[in-house]
Amino acid sequence: MTERNEHHYTENVQDHLQQVLHLLEKHALVETVTHRQELPRDERHELLDKMLHKRHLAELREKLEELHPADIAFILEALPIDQRLMVWDQVKADRDGDILIEVSDAVRESLIATMSREELREATEKLDTDEIADLAPDLPQNVMRDVFKSLSIDEREQLRAAMSYSKDSVGALMDFNMVHVREDVTLEVVSRYLRRFEELPDHTDQVFVVDRDDRFKGVLPINLIVVNEPETVVGKLMLTDTIRLNPDEKAVQAAQSFERYDLVSAPVVDEEGKLVGRVTVNVVLDFIRAESETDLLNQAGLREEEDIFASVWKSAQNRWTWLALNLCTAFFASRVIGSFENTIEKFVALATLMPIVAGIAGNSANQTTTIIIRSIALGQVSQANARRLMIKELAISGLNGLVWGGIAGLFAYFLYHNVALGLVMTSAMLLNLTLGALVGIGIPMIMQKLGRDPAIGSSVLLTAITDSGGFFIFLGLATIFLIR
């Protein structure tokens, strides 16, 4: 990497985005001015070519060549569709595959739609087999057939293996680009072997040790190769007590291992003890980021990641499912209120206080469910400790209900000078916060037991339950104690 490129790679990606936007604005300005010229059509096109393609698009191409594929991916995701496709056209063809891997699924779909079968094949063939497997779900079948035919026999087997694992497994995260040696060779042999590489695979902090049948024996950290005598045999230095992953293991568990033990890479070993691949920290970080984004979307009731510049129709469809459910629960809440019309008519102050009861309980329930979802993700919640956890959350909600319910009750008393109303307010807050704690724990636990993501629609369901429950509890208590 040149010094110039190193400088650009360390710039703020927002700076890159602003520079690209500036070039696109100049491009649009020149195009607008050109089309306003009172010239014959052929001359206008000739002027457009000279002013546009030879200058601003050339500057844009030059800028893009300096950027890392991840930075280009960020820029593409931040641009409206027309500008995105214009930038995509200026990217060198030999970088298409690397960028497609980096962009989000939603944006990748819009880019692939503009590419021909041949362009897709060429872009995909330049990727490693594990990256091809990541891209495969978004590629047309005819492109995948072409790519499959172009691979060697070993690469085909690797691709089949990578595509056979579920997307949330270690097998989906692993790559096959690794260095392994035998335990009966010396460090001198290992050093000569490593020098044959033009460059070592990314994140190679250790060499994997296998026997003649590729069964995993241990790891040899790179630093041990450097500081020990060349005549030392690998078997004497290798570490056998090391983390090893199984391809069918949940990717979340692998991510926890990387975080807990500060791993840079880890071997993936099958049931027969054979080394089949490795997982590296950069892939784990990408997985954690993607999982976090998915959890945020699920909590809001969104079905999938959304391209922020997608069409109105497509974006609306993505949001319909839980909006429809929310509408149903809103109708239910309105009927709860409607059933207490007589109570509200006789004591109008209830209408102004109802949102307080529902709002505070909804916020408390969201706090509870966020803690539970995080604990489930970290593997800290089990059937053995679920009961104790529920008791603790109920105790917290009880304490909060007494404290903040008491404050709300005093507020109601000072406003309306009615002791009974203040007591009803306090009692309703206490009961609704308790309800919020129950559903805040119950929804994620039930989702986990059903094998679903605990975060799916949690905020939507919590709001619905705490609103309806809060209205019912508050108005019910008011009917009993305030209306005679």
Side-chain angles (χ1 to χ4, degrees):
M1 186 186 298
T2 65
E3 183 179 346
R4 180 185 180 189
N5 281 343
E6 284 180 355
H7 170 70
H8 281 283
Y9 277 22
T10 57
E11 283 184 6
N12 190 318
V13 69
Q14 289 289 345
D15 294 337
H16 297 318
L17 174 59
Q18 294 305 316
Q19 291 167 26
V20 169
L21 285 171
H22 180 63
L23 291 171
L24 290 171
E25 287 171 2
K26 290 199 295 185
H27 168 98
L29 179 61
V30 170
E31 189 174 25
T32 301
V33 171
T34 301
H35 282 286
R36 285 179 179 174
Q37 300 297 318
E38 296 297 330
L39 296 172
R41 184 173 180 178
D42 291 341
E43 292 184 28
R44 186 166 68 245
H45 282 188
E46 184 178 352
L47 178 60
L48 182 62
D49 286 339
K50 287 180 180 178
M51 297 180 65
L52 189 62
H53 293 284
K54 290 185 179 180
R55 185 175 178 184
H56 298 319
L57 291 186
E59 289 180 27
L60 180 58
R61 281 193 297 271
E62 200 174 302
K63 176 62 184 176
L64 294 173
E65 287 174 17
E66 298 170 348
L67 300 181
H68 189 279
D71 289 342
I72 298 176
F74 174 85
I75 290 169
L76 291 170
E77 291 173 357
L79 294 175
I81 297 293
D82 54 341
Q83 292 184 335
R84 178 187 301 164
L85 298 182
M86 185 182 298
V87 171
W88 181 238
D89 286 340
Q90 305 310 311
V91 174
K92 279 190 175 181
D94 60 357
R95 306 183 75 195
D96 285 355
D98 292 329
I99 297 169
L100 286 174
I101 286 293
E102 295 287 348
V103 295
S104 64
D105 292 344
V107 172
R108 184 186 301 142
E109 182 181 335
S110 69
L111 299 179
I112 287 178
T114 67
M115 301 175 70
S116 66
R117 176 175 176 176
E118 184 65 20
E119 287 173 331
L120 286 170
R121 183 187 63 78
E122 291 179 358
T124 307
E125 285 177 348
K126 292 180 172 65
L127 301 174
D128 294 332
T129 48
D130 58 295
E131 294 174 326
I132 296 174
D134 291 338
L135 207 56
D138 300 309
L139 294 175
Q141 290 187 354
N142 55 10
V143 173
M144 281 304 300
R145 283 195 296 268
D146 293 342
V147 171
F148 195 77
K149 291 176 184 177
S150 69
L151 299 176
S152 66
I153 294 176
D154 288 342
E155 288 174 331
R156 290 180 186 179
E157 290 303 315
Q158 290 177 352
L159 181 57
R160 283 197 189 98
M163 294 179 64
S164 67
Y165 298 109
S166 62
K167 64 179 182 179
D168 61 346
S169 69
V170 168
L173 300 184
M174 73 177 178
D175 70 67
F176 306 96
N177 194 15
M178 57 188 172
V179 181
H180 53 84
V181 298
R182 297 252 295 278
E183 60 183 323
D184 55 355
V185 301
T186 64
L187 296 185
E188 183 180 4
V189 173
V190 174
S191 296
R192 286 204 307 268
Y193 174 59
L194 294 178
R195 285 194 292 271
R196 290 168 55 187
F197 288 85
E198 292 184 7
E199 61 177 346
L200 291 176
D202 291 338
H203 301 90
T204 299
D205 65 319
Q206 56 190 0
V207 173
F208 302 125
V209 184
V210 297
D211 63 14
R212 294 178 181 273
D213 298 318
D214 287 333
R215 287 188 174 84
F216 179 75
K217 307 298 289 185
V219 300
L220 181 65
I222 294 293
N223 66 307
L224 293 184
I225 301 174
V226 176
V227 301
N228 283 279
E229 294 297 328
E231 298 80 15
T232 308
V233 177
V234 169
K236 292 184 177 179
L237 288 177
M238 70 178 184
L239 308 177
T240 56
D241 185 17
T242 184
I243 298 296
R244 60 187 73 185
L245 306 173
N246 184 280
D248 294 317
E249 187 178 344
K250 290 292 185 182
V252 171
Q253 296 174 344
Q256 292 170 0
S257 296
F258 269 76
E259 187 274 333
R260 188 178 301 119
Y261 303 112
D262 296 326
L263 301 177
V264 175
S265 67
V268 181
V269 181
D270 65 14
E271 298 294 342
E272 297 176 357
K274 290 187 177 182
L275 180 69
V276 293
R278 67 167 186 159
V279 174
T280 54
V281 65
N282 60 320
V283 177
V284 171
L285 287 175
D286 287 342
F287 171 78
I288 293 172
R289 176 184 57 79
E291 284 293 293
S292 299
E293 291 174 355
T294 299
D295 285 345
L296 285 174
L297 294 172
N298 286 339
Q299 287 184 47
L302 293 172
R303 294 186 302 169
E304 58 188 25
E305 185 178 8
E306 184 179 303
D307 177 2
I308 60 172
F309 294 108
S311 67
V312 172
W313 175 250
K314 190 169 185 179
S315 295
Q317 285 181 305
N318 185 37
R319 308 180 191 192
W320 277 354
T321 302
W322 288 95
L323 286 179
L325 177 60
N326 207 3
L327 181 61
C328 293
T329 58
F331 276 129
F332 178 77
S334 71
R335 294 318 308 145
V336 170
I337 296 173
S339 63
F340 291 96
E341 284 181 0
N342 292 334
T343 300
I344 297 173
E345 285 178 1
K346 294 178 181 177
F347 212 102
V348 179
L350 298 175
T352 64
L353 297 174
M354 281 193 304
I356 299 175
V357 177
I360 294 294
N363 189 19
S364 176
N366 270 308
Q367 291 175 343
T368 299
T369 199
T370 299
I371 294 293
I372 298 302
I373 290 171
R374 177 182 177 276
S375 301
I376 290 174
L378 294 175
Q380 298 172 343
V381 179
S382 63
Q383 294 296 328
N385 61 21
R387 184 170 177 272
R388 179 177 295 180
L389 190 61
M390 181 171 289
I391 292 172
K392 177 202 168 186
E393 289 299 325
L394 288 174
I396 293 172
S397 65
L399 177 60
N400 283 334
L402 289 173
V403 172
W404 300 106
I407 292 173
L410 288 173
F411 175 77
Y413 169 74
F414 284 120
L415 278 180
Y416 301 103
H417 305 288
N418 189 314
V419 174
L421 177 60
L423 292 174
V424 166
M425 188 75 176
T426 301
S427 302
M429 288 274 283
L430 174 61
L431 292 174
N432 205 25
L433 259 69
T434 303
L435 174 64
L438 287 172
V439 296
I441 297 173
I443 290 174
M445 296 292 288
I446 292 171
M447 287 292 188
Q448 184 195 31
K449 198 165 186 178
L450 295 175
R452 306 292 298 277
D453 187 337
I456 292 179
S458 58
S459 64
V460 177
L461 292 174
L462 286 175
T463 301
I465 294 173
T466 53
D467 281 358
S468 300
F471 296 151
F472 180 79
I473 291 169
F474 181 56
L475 295 175
L477 290 175
T479 302
I480 295 172
F481 295 105
L482 297 179
I483 307 302
R484 293 182 175 82

